[in-house]
Coordinates of all heavy atoms in Angstrom, one line a residue:
S1 N 0.8 -1.2 0.0 CA 0.0 0.0 0.0 C 0.9 1.3 0.0 O 2.0 1.2 0.3 CB -0.9 0.0 1.2 OG -0.2 0.1 2.4
T2 N 0.3 2.4 -0.4 CA 0.9 3.7 -0.5 C 0.1 4.6 0.4 O -1.2 4.7 0.2 CB 1.0 4.2 -1.9 OG1 1.8 3.3 -2.7 CG2 1.7 5.6 -2.0
T3 N 0.7 5.4 1.2 CA 0.0 6.4 2.0 C 0.7 7.8 1.7 O 1.9 7.9 1.7 CB 0.1 6.2 3.5 OG1 -0.5 4.9 3.8 CG2 -0.6 7.3 4.3
I4 N -0.1 8.8 1.4 CA 0.3 10.1 1.2 C -0.3 11.1 2.2 O -1.5 11.0 2.5 CB 0.0 10.6 -0.3 CG1 0.6 9.6 -1.3 CG2 0.4 12.0 -0.5 CD1 0.1 9.9 -2.7
E5 N 0.6 11.9 2.8 CA 0.1 12.9 3.8 C 0.5 14.3 3.5 O 1.7 14.5 3.0 CB 0.7 12.6 5.2 CG 0.3 11.3 5.8 CD 0.9 11.0 7.2 OE1 1.8 11.8 7.6 OE2 0.6 10.1 7.8
F6 N -0.4 15.2 3.6 CA -0.1 16.6 3.4 C -0.3 17.3 4.8 O -1.3 17.1 5.4 CB -1.0 17.3 2.4 CG -0.7 17.0 0.9 CD1 0.2 16.0 0.5 CD2 -1.4 17.6 0.0 CE1 0.5 15.8 -0.8 CE2 -1.2 17.4 -1.4 CZ -0.3 16.4 -1.8
T7 N 0.7 18.1 5.2 CA 0.6 18.9 6.4 C 0.7 20.4 6.1 O 1.6 20.8 5.4 CB 1.6 18.5 7.4 OG1 1.5 17.1 7.7 CG2 1.5 19.3 8.7
N8 N -0.3 21.2 6.5 CA -0.3 22.6 6.3 C -0.4 23.0 4.9 O 0.5 23.3 4.2 CB 0.8 23.3 7.0 CG 0.7 24.8 7.0 OD1 1.7 25.5 6.7 ND2 -0.4 25.4 7.3
C9 N -1.7 23.0 4.3 CA -1.9 23.3 2.9 C -2.5 24.8 2.8 O -3.2 25.2 3.7 CB -3.0 22.4 2.4 SG -2.5 20.6 2.4
T10 N -2.1 25.4 1.8 CA -2.7 26.7 1.4 C -2.9 26.7 -0.1 O -2.2 26.2 -0.9 CB -1.8 27.9 1.8 OG1 -0.5 27.8 1.2 CG2 -1.6 28.1 3.3
S11 N -4.1 27.4 -0.5 CA -4.5 27.3 -1.9 C -5.6 28.3 -2.0 O -6.1 28.9 -1.1 CB -5.0 25.9 -2.2 OG -5.5 25.9 -3.5
G12 N -6.0 28.6 -3.3 CA -7.1 29.4 -3.6 C -8.4 28.7 -3.3 O -9.5 29.2 -3.4
S13 N -8.3 27.4 -2.9 CA -9.5 26.6 -2.6 C -9.2 25.9 -1.2 O -8.1 26.1 -0.7 CB -9.5 25.5 -3.7 OG -10.5 24.5 -3.3
S14 N -10.2 25.2 -0.7 CA -10.0 24.6 0.6 C -9.9 23.1 0.4 O -10.2 22.3 1.4 CB -11.1 25.0 1.6 OG -12.3 24.6 1.0
V15 N -9.6 22.6 -0.8 CA -9.4 21.2 -1.0 C -8.3 20.9 -2.0 O -8.0 21.7 -2.9 CB -10.7 20.6 -1.6 CG1 -11.1 21.2 -3.0 CG2 -10.7 19.1 -1.7
A16 N -7.5 19.9 -1.7 CA -6.4 19.4 -2.6 C -6.8 18.0 -3.0 O -7.0 17.1 -2.2 CB -5.1 19.4 -1.8
N17 N -7.0 17.9 -4.3 CA -7.3 16.5 -4.9 C -6.0 15.8 -5.3 O -5.2 16.4 -6.1 CB -8.2 16.7 -6.1 CG -9.6 17.2 -5.6 OD1 -10.2 16.6 -4.7 ND2 -10.1 18.2 -6.3
V18 N -5.8 14.7 -4.7 CA -4.5 13.9 -4.8 C -4.8 12.6 -5.5 O -5.6 11.8 -5.0 CB -3.8 13.7 -3.5 CG1 -2.5 12.9 -3.6 CG2 -3.6 15.0 -2.8
T19 N -4.2 12.3 -6.6 CA -4.4 11.1 -7.4 C -3.1 10.3 -7.5 O -2.1 10.9 -8.0 CB -4.9 11.4 -8.8 OG1 -6.1 12.3 -8.7 CG2 -5.3 10.2 -9.6
L20 N -3.1 9.1 -7.1 CA -2.0 8.2 -7.3 C -2.0 7.7 -8.7 O -3.0 7.3 -9.2 CB -2.0 7.0 -6.3 CG -0.8 6.0 -6.4 CD1 0.4 6.7 -5.9 CD2 -1.1 4.8 -5.5
R21 N -0.8 7.7 -9.3 CA -0.6 7.2 -10.7 C 0.6 6.3 -10.8 O 1.5 6.4 -10.0 CB -0.5 8.4 -11.7 CG -1.7 9.3 -11.6 CD -1.9 10.2 -12.7 NE -2.3 9.4 -13.9 CZ -2.6 10.0 -15.0 NH1 -2.4 11.3 -15.2 NH2 -2.9 9.3 -16.1
K22 N 0.5 5.4 -11.8 CA 1.7 4.5 -12.0 C 2.3 4.9 -13.3 O 1.6 5.1 -14.3 CB 1.2 3.0 -12.1 CG 2.3 2.0 -12.1 CD 1.7 0.6 -12.0 CE 2.8 -0.4 -11.9 NZ 2.2 -1.8 -11.7
D23 N 3.6 5.1 -13.3 CA 4.3 5.5 -14.5 C 4.6 4.3 -15.4 O 5.4 3.4 -15.0 CB 5.7 6.1 -14.1 CG 6.4 6.9 -15.2 OD1 5.9 6.8 -16.4 OD2 7.4 7.5 -14.9
V24 N 3.9 4.2 -16.5 CA 4.1 3.0 -17.4 C 4.6 3.5 -18.8 O 4.0 4.4 -19.4 CB 2.7 2.3 -17.6 CG1 2.8 1.1 -18.5 CG2 2.1 1.9 -16.3
D25 N 5.7 3.0 -19.2 CA 6.4 3.4 -20.4 C 5.5 3.1 -21.6 O 4.8 2.0 -21.7 CB 7.7 2.6 -20.6 CG 8.8 3.1 -19.7 OD1 8.6 4.2 -19.1 OD2 9.7 2.3 -19.4
F26 N 5.4 4.0 -22.6 CA 4.7 3.9 -23.8 C 3.2 3.6 -23.7 O 2.6 3.0 -24.6 CB 5.4 2.8 -24.7 CG 6.9 3.0 -24.8 CD1 7.8 2.1 -24.3 CD2 7.4 4.2 -25.5 CE1 9.1 2.3 -24.3 CE2 8.8 4.4 -25.5 CZ 9.6 3.5 -25.0
Q27 N 2.6 3.9 -22.6 CA 1.2 3.8 -22.4 C 0.6 5.0 -21.6 O 1.4 5.7 -21.0 CB 0.9 2.5 -21.6 CG 1.3 1.2 -22.3 CD 1.0 0.0 -21.4 OE1 0.0 0.0 -20.6 NE2 1.8 -1.0 -21.5
V28 N -0.7 5.1 -21.6 CA -1.3 6.1 -20.7 C -1.1 5.6 -19.3 O -1.4 4.4 -19.0 CB -2.8 6.3 -21.1 CG1 -3.4 7.2 -20.1 CG2 -2.9 6.8 -22.5
D29 N -0.6 6.4 -18.4 CA -0.4 6.0 -17.0 C -1.8 5.8 -16.3 O -2.6 6.7 -16.3 CB 0.4 7.1 -16.2 CG 1.8 7.3 -16.7 OD1 2.3 6.4 -17.4 OD2 2.4 8.3 -16.4
P30 N -1.9 4.6 -15.7 CA -3.2 4.4 -15.0 C -3.3 5.3 -13.8 O -2.3 5.6 -13.2 CB -3.1 2.9 -14.6 CG -1.7 2.5 -14.8 CD -1.0 3.5 -15.7
Q31 N -4.5 5.7 -13.5 CA -4.7 6.5 -12.3 C -5.6 5.8 -11.4 O -6.6 5.1 -11.8 CB -5.2 7.9 -12.6 CG -6.6 8.0 -13.3 CD -6.9 9.5 -13.6 OE1 -6.1 10.3 -13.9 NE2 -8.2 9.8 -13.5
Y32 N -5.3 5.9 -10.1 CA -6.1 5.2 -9.1 C -7.0 6.2 -8.4 O -7.0 7.4 -8.8 CB -5.2 4.4 -8.2 CG -4.3 3.5 -8.9 CD1 -3.0 3.7 -9.1 CD2 -4.9 2.4 -9.6 CE1 -2.2 2.9 -9.9 CE2 -4.1 1.5 -10.4 CZ -2.7 1.8 -10.5 OH -1.9 1.0 -11.3
S33 N -7.8 5.9 -7.5 CA -8.7 6.8 -6.9 C -8.1 8.1 -6.4 O -6.9 8.2 -6.1 CB -9.4 6.1 -5.7 OG -8.5 5.9 -4.7
T34 N -8.9 9.2 -6.5 CA -8.5 10.5 -6.1 C -9.0 10.8 -4.7 O -10.2 10.5 -4.3 CB -9.1 11.6 -7.0 OG1 -8.5 11.3 -8.3 CG2 -8.7 13.0 -6.6
A35 N -8.1 11.2 -3.8 CA -8.4 11.6 -2.4 C -8.6 13.1 -2.4 O -7.8 13.9 -2.9 CB -7.3 11.1 -1.5

């Protein structure tokens, strides 16, 4: 499993959408669920 943590975010919005992706040569990189 992979865990991603963000601490202290600032933005023009109050949400950061984070999507895990796999880097696959010569193909479209698959994307997994967005948090």
